Amino acid sequence: TDRGTNRTAMATASPLASTLPSGAHRHSKPRGASASKTRAPRSAPRARAAVEGARPSLSMPPLERDDNGVERLALQTDGWSFWEWRGHRCNYISAGEMNDGPIVVLVHGFGAHSYHWRYTVPALARRGFRVYALCMLGYGWSPKVEEPYSMEFWGQQVIDFTRDVAGASPSDKAVVAGNSIGALAALYAASTAPEQCRGLCLVNSAGNFEEGAEPGPEKPTMAQKAVGQTKGPDGIRDPTDPNPRPYTALERAQEAIGRIVATGIFYFTKVRIKTILEQVYEYPVDDELVRSIALAAEDPGAIGTFYQLSLAGGRTRVAAGELLEKFNGPLMLLWGEKDPWMTPSKASRILEIKPDACYAPVVAGHCPHDDAPVECSAKLADWAEALPA
């Protein structure tokens, strides 16, 4: 079945067309660091066709329909909503904040952003969920700054976002779903703060889950190799350290080479966004998705940030398998079985560790939530609705 036929048929048969209750923005009182939130001014949505029946009273961002008639978020070049985290104004998208259903927090993958959940956000909101998709620091519409990025760093941001913005608590837990490296951040959040997690959905998760696997990436990045920092997190500098140890001449040379390598990779990737996406998507990639990713690359701080992002795996201290063993809640594996990167064999390994997990295969690539969105949104919603409170 081709993508258009599949989407249109499922959209007709799906219960996603129910209306949302009206309501104002919902959030909990911040704890600790400020979590103040503001709305970005709305840019004119570049919809191919206006979504019929979308009323201002709906707790929903501006929407459009794609060429197959499937509802999704309209791209806003200036972002959506913002919250303060560790002194940075980070972006997020929310919908259905006053719904009665469970909270769902969505975490994007490497190089992506909150808009990558453009189909999932409205679909889940129409099913009655309270939906929140964040841009992790360094990505999308969040600031491009040099920070000591790692899975623990982003995982803590997911924990704080889930509590302070989405409003999760021991009495009102959230379902957390993440794609690719966002799945690892979601796994960290769910295993570290189980008191606010109702269930975890790993969407084509990155990470090495083999027995005895070391923390960090399965293969060191080119930037890591160039900097000579492949021997663990203690060898990688914190760019925010107010009192850094003196550089040796070798370290200065290695960092300079690492930044040159990262810059080269950045520009090579920037001009090949659509080509790369087409390699890992099962169905055609549309221009709005490519444009959304290219927008983030225009930020003045993007190159320095990309260098630090490339070292994130090397800074990571906890192994993916350890986090998975630690997590004892409901688990779903939503898996695009045509993914050339995170093949079904990785899902099989996770199922060996967690045999009670719900495995939901989809004919899609690395990002099934965007590649086969109607089917993925329905599978995620059905699973999340059945979870105990």
Side-chain angles (χ1 to χ4, degrees):
T1 303
D2 64 75
R3 187 185 199 187
T5 303
N6 186 36
R7 279 187 168 182
T8 303
M10 294 192 69
T12 302
S14 171
L16 303 185
S18 60
T19 58
L20 272 174
S22 61
H25 193 76
R26 178 187 183 280
H27 62 89
S28 65
K29 183 177 179 181
R31 293 190 294 175
S34 170
S36 60
K37 298 176 288 180
T38 57
R39 290 278 185 185
R42 300 295 192 194
S43 61
R46 301 178 69 253
R48 291 184 175 87
V51 176
E52 295 179 6
R55 303 187 304 273
S57 61
L58 290 179
S59 180
M60 189 83 82
L63 304 173
E64 66 181 22
R65 291 193 186 277
D66 67 13
D67 290 339
N68 297 307
V70 182
E71 185 176 77
R72 70 184 185 191
L73 298 171
L75 177 60
Q76 295 184 198
T77 58
D78 50 5
W80 285 263
S81 300
F82 294 86
W83 66 298
E84 188 86 3
W85 188 70
R86 297 188 179 181
H88 299 294
R89 188 170 177 260
C90 296
N91 181 83
Y92 71 95
I93 303 172
S94 61
E97 297 97 323
M98 296 303 291
N99 283 349
D100 295 327
I103 299 166
V104 178
V105 171
L106 304 170
V107 190
H108 63 81
F110 189 88
H113 40 51
S114 54
Y115 176 73
H116 204 195
W117 298 97
R118 56 191 173 157
Y119 291 100
T120 316
V121 170
L124 294 187
R126 292 203 182 281
R127 286 283 293 264
F129 293 94
R130 291 165 279 160
V131 191
Y132 296 82
L134 79 158
C135 272
M136 293 187 289
L137 189 62
Y139 293 104
W141 288 265
S142 289
K144 309 302 178 298
V145 289
E146 296 203 29
E147 291 278 339
Y149 299 113
S150 67
M151 284 306 105
E152 294 92 336
F153 182 95
W154 288 312
Q156 188 60 52
Q157 186 177 17
V158 173
I159 291 172
D160 295 344
F161 177 82
T162 302
R163 180 192 63 228
D164 296 338
V165 178
S169 68
S171 61
D172 188 12
K173 298 180 180 182
V175 174
V176 184
N179 174 229
S180 193
I181 67 159
L184 290 181
L187 173 58
Y188 179 91
S191 61
T192 304
E195 71 280 359
Q196 63 184 38
C197 180
R198 182 187 297 250
L200 170 67
C201 177
L202 302 180
V203 185
N204 288 67
S205 179
N208 190 343
F209 294 93
E210 295 301 323
E211 186 175 357
E214 295 294 322
E218 296 176 65
K219 295 181 180 179
T221 64
M222 290 179 66
Q224 264 185 275
K225 293 178 180 178
V227 179
Q229 295 173 338
T230 59
K231 297 182 179 180
D234 292 329
I236 303 180
R237 287 177 176 268
D238 178 352
T240 64
D241 187 351
N243 299 300
R245 68 181 187 276
Y247 275 84
T248 66
L250 177 60
E251 285 177 324
R252 288 193 181 280
Q254 287 176 328
E255 180 167 323
I257 294 171
R259 287 182 180 272
I260 291 171
V261 170
T263 300
I265 296 171
F266 174 85
Y267 281 113
F268 182 69
T269 303
K270 183 178 177 181
V271 300
R272 297 177 66 252
I273 293 173
K274 189 167 187 176
T275 300
I276 293 170
L277 289 172
E278 288 174 339
Q279 291 172 354
V280 297
Y281 269 58
E282 177 68 9
Y283 301 107
V285 175
D286 69 287
D287 291 338
E288 287 292 81
L289 177 61
V290 176
R291 180 170 175 254
S292 71
I293 295 173
L295 283 171
E298 298 300 326
D299 191 291
I303 295 176
T305 300
F306 186 81
Y307 168 70
Q308 297 297 342
L309 294 178
S310 68
L311 301 177
R315 288 193 181 99
T316 298
R317 295 177 180 272
V318 61
E322 292 177 15
L323 291 175
L324 189 62
E325 292 278 5
K326 181 180 175 182
F327 178 70
N328 293 314
L331 175 64
M332 179 185 196
L333 304 182
L334 184 57
W335 217 271
E337 293 201 313
K338 299 295 185 178
D339 184 354
W341 293 345
M342 310 305 170
T343 64
S345 62
K346 186 181 291 287
S348 297
R349 172 56 189 160
I350 295 173
L351 288 169
E352 290 176 6
I353 302 172
K354 295 291 184 180
D356 293 333
C358 170
Y359 182 60
V362 182
V363 179
H366 184 59
C367 310
H369 57 290
D370 191 67
D371 203 8
V374 175
E375 183 179 1
C376 284
S377 295
K379 286 179 181 290
L380 176 56
D382 290 344
W383 175 76
E385 281 179 345
L387 294 177

